[in-house]
Amino acid sequence: MDIKRCYQPEIEAASRDYLRAIQSARLIQMVKNCYENVPFYQQKFSEIGLLPGDIHSIDDISKLPFTVKQDLRDNYPFGLFAVPRDRLVRIHASSGTTGKQTVVGYTEEDVLHWSEGAARALVAAGATKDDMIHVSYGYGLFTGGLGLHYGAELLGATAIPVSSGNTQRQVQILQDFGSNFLCCTPSYALFIGETVADMGIDPKTLPLRGGIFGAEPWTDNMRREIERLLDIKAYDIYGLSEIAGPGVSYNCACQDGLHVCEDYFYPEIIDPDTLEPVPDGTYGELVFTCIGKEALPLVRYRTRDIAALNRDRCDCGRTLVRMSKPRGRSDDMLIIRGVNVFPSQVEHVILEQGLEPNYQIQVERKDNLDVMTVLIELSDAMFSDSVQVIQEAERRLKNAMLSTLGVSSSIRFADPRSLPRSEGKAVRVVDKRSLV
């Protein structure tokens, strides 16, 4: 393996026995930490008669109970934290189904481990300490921007915290600052590429060599289009706020799956119906246990992402297990421009505004950006209201959606009883995005 394309070869190319020893030691310590410091887990363990002393190695992970997103909501905001507040150095959060956010805390050590994962991804993509890393993920409570930012700084590279928006200015910075790697959602990368073309710039004149894209589903066709528009090599990165953020897994130069940072985040694949483990190579629900986290050490967290694992040694030389690109979800969550959106969130806002509970969410991709439109039936009484009253209701609803979801949406009112009815499960989402 080319050592220049590996940030921590002692881990990324370690023997499986060495990795297993690390995982076992960290799992034992994590379970003890959860039992002693998180009342939620102490109760969960007690309900199944499990004590920390029952965990002897990573092979015992199947003895542990699962954690789901609702558990974080039920213990909002800090109920699952395993350290006192004075040890926290960072708080992030993602949207919740009824306006409450899923809150994630980090100790100084947690931030270092997360940064290491992002640095591994950057180096695997070909970045070095001499490069300029252009970060166009959103900054703030969303984990995208700061994850790659800290990874770049840990690597010793120069982070350019551009955030998203103002695309022509983004292109100008790519030119003037000499950015070598672009980090953003794949849909925004496409838009940047189209803007480069619209501005009459030859992408070959840009210093860009590569891009690290994630936070939303994308396909190999989209990868090839990004590579054509920007004249770069495009790499995938995976993460989720509850586990750490971007850098949980990443593409190497082979681009045959995403290497999981399994020294910090132990992966499993289960059958989402039986909850039993499935063999490697079989698609099922991806589960992570945060064996390397102090503040929020989630036990067997069900991500709802559908993927498969491959433990064969990669041609790049890495021994870290590879996960496939997620090919769907076992729940109804949508990812809109990198933001998680649940239909139940939309319904909550609609009902909170006193409107009818008959609605439909339509998602499509325009100019390579996700656009969400919410169709809502008017009540008979509202249908007879003036245009001004309806426009005011539309304005209030649009603002409420943005406040709760963290992503903008279009609002369209429909005539009473005009949306399709179903004798079974209502069709709440029509996703018109093409992922082929």
Side-chain angles (χ1 to χ4, degrees):
M1 181 175 62
D2 183 355
I3 197 70
K4 288 185 266 188
R5 296 291 294 266
C6 191
Y7 179 66
Q8 293 171 308
E10 70 280 7
I11 292 295
E12 295 176 77
S15 71
R16 293 304 308 175
D17 286 343
Y18 181 63
L19 283 171
R20 185 176 180 278
I22 291 174
Q23 292 164 347
S24 295
R26 288 180 175 170
L27 179 66
I28 291 168
Q29 179 58 41
M30 174 200 175
V31 170
K32 183 173 182 290
N33 186 25
C34 288
Y35 187 82
E36 293 178 352
N37 297 302
V38 186
F40 167 80
Y41 278 125
Q42 186 176 91
Q43 180 180 341
K44 291 271 282 189
F45 294 169
S46 297
E47 286 172 355
I48 59 175
L50 185 140
L51 293 171
D54 298 327
I55 304 300
H56 304 286
S57 76
I58 196 67
D59 295 335
D60 293 325
I61 198 164
S62 60
K63 296 178 181 179
L64 298 169
F66 292 101
T67 308
V68 296
K69 194 160 194 163
Q70 188 61 44
D71 295 327
L72 279 85
R73 300 185 189 116
D74 291 344
N75 290 276
Y76 173 90
F78 307 133
L80 293 186
F81 287 6
V83 298
R85 291 277 296 279
D86 61 6
R87 287 200 57 203
L88 296 175
V89 300
R90 178 93 64 81
I91 294 286
H92 279 286
S94 62
S95 58
T97 57
T98 58
K100 280 191 175 181
Q101 296 178 306
T102 301
V103 181
V104 185
Y106 301 78
T107 64
E108 184 175 357
E109 191 78 2
D110 291 337
V111 172
L112 173 61
H113 293 169
W114 177 20
S115 303
E116 286 177 353
R120 292 175 190 178
L122 285 162
V123 174
T128 73
K129 63 181 180 59
D130 299 319
D131 285 323
M132 306 280 275
I133 312 299
H134 184 111
V135 183
S136 292
Y137 286 109
Y139 280 68
L141 287 176
F142 174 58
T143 54
L146 283 169
L148 271 302
H149 182 113
Y150 270 63
E153 291 187 344
L154 185 64
L155 175 59
T158 302
I160 309 174
V162 190
S163 197
S164 55
N166 200 341
T167 307
Q168 288 197 358
R169 177 171 167 267
Q170 298 263 359
V171 175
Q172 182 182 344
I173 291 172
L174 290 173
Q175 285 185 300
D176 297 347
F177 290 17
S179 307
N180 305 112
F181 281 83
L182 172 64
C183 305
C184 62
T185 63
S187 58
Y188 193 50
L190 277 174
F191 189 50
I192 290 175
E194 290 175 344
T195 304
V196 167
D198 291 343
M199 293 171 68
I201 299 169
D202 181 352
K204 295 183 187 302
T205 64
L206 297 175
L208 276 180
R209 301 199 313 275
I212 297 179
F213 309 120
E216 65 185 11
W218 59 306
T219 62
D220 285 336
N221 284 341
M222 185 181 263
R223 182 202 301 272
R224 286 188 285 271
E225 183 64 6
I226 291 171
E227 290 178 339
R228 183 188 70 81
L229 286 168
L230 290 171
D231 192 41
I232 61 172
K233 184 88 167 170
Y235 296 86
D236 204 347
I237 191 168
Y238 174 88
L240 60 167
S241 296
E242 300 92 315
I243 302 304
V248 172
S249 67
Y250 55 90
N251 271 158
C252 65
C254 299
Q255 296 183 317
D256 183 19
L258 293 90
H259 291 280
V260 179
C261 294
E262 57 175 312
D263 51 328
Y264 297 136
F265 315 110
Y266 185 80
E268 300 175 83
I269 300 291
I270 64 168
D271 182 311
D273 296 320
T274 67
L275 305 185
E276 292 297 322
V278 301
D280 287 350
T282 303
Y283 279 86
E285 184 177 339
L286 182 61
V287 171
F288 279 111
T289 297
C290 301
I291 56 175
K293 284 187 73 174
E294 296 177 325
L296 187 65
L298 295 181
V299 176
R300 303 189 83 192
Y301 182 75
R302 296 181 59 184
T303 69
R304 302 295 185 176
D305 285 326
I306 301 300
L309 295 180
N310 179 355
R311 297 181 199 276
D312 294 340
R313 187 184 185 94
C314 182
D315 288 343
C316 75
R318 286 177 178 80
T319 53
L320 294 175
V321 63
R322 284 169 285 163
M323 57 175 274
S324 66
K325 180 191 286 287
R327 69 177 191 184
R329 291 188 57 82
S330 63
D331 61 10
D332 57 357
M333 188 184 82
L334 294 164
I335 301 178
I336 311 295
R337 299 194 293 281
V339 177
N340 297 344
V341 175
F342 290 86
S344 53
Q345 286 177 293
V346 174
E347 184 172 300
H348 172 78
V349 176
I350 291 171
L351 295 177
E352 202 173 48
Q353 294 292 313
L355 298 169
E356 293 292 299
N358 298 312
Y359 66 94
Q360 187 176 84
I361 304 166
Q362 296 184 355
V363 186
E364 54 192 326
R365 188 162 281 137
K366 294 181 178 179
D367 297 325
N368 290 314
L369 289 177
D370 294 336
V371 176
M372 183 174 74
T373 301
V374 183
L375 276 69
I376 307 151
E377 280 189 7
L378 293 169
S379 64
D380 289 326
M382 198 171 176
F383 185 64
S384 61
D385 283 335
S386 68
V387 172
Q388 184 177 354
V389 170
I390 294 175
Q391 287 178 338
E392 176 59 22
E394 179 182 320
R395 184 193 64 78
R396 288 198 312 271
L397 184 59
K398 186 172 184 176
N399 290 339
M401 288 287 184
L402 178 59
S403 175
T404 298
L405 306 180
V407 64
S408 60
S409 59
S410 297
I411 305 296
R412 280 173 43 200
F413 284 116
D415 292 344
R417 293 172 293 281
S418 62
L419 293 181
R421 299 311 199 250
S422 172
E423 294 181 358
K425 187 175 180 180
V427 179
R428 294 299 193 195
V429 178
V430 178
D431 195 338
K432 301 178 181 179
R433 292 175 293 186
S434 174
L435 288 178
V436 296

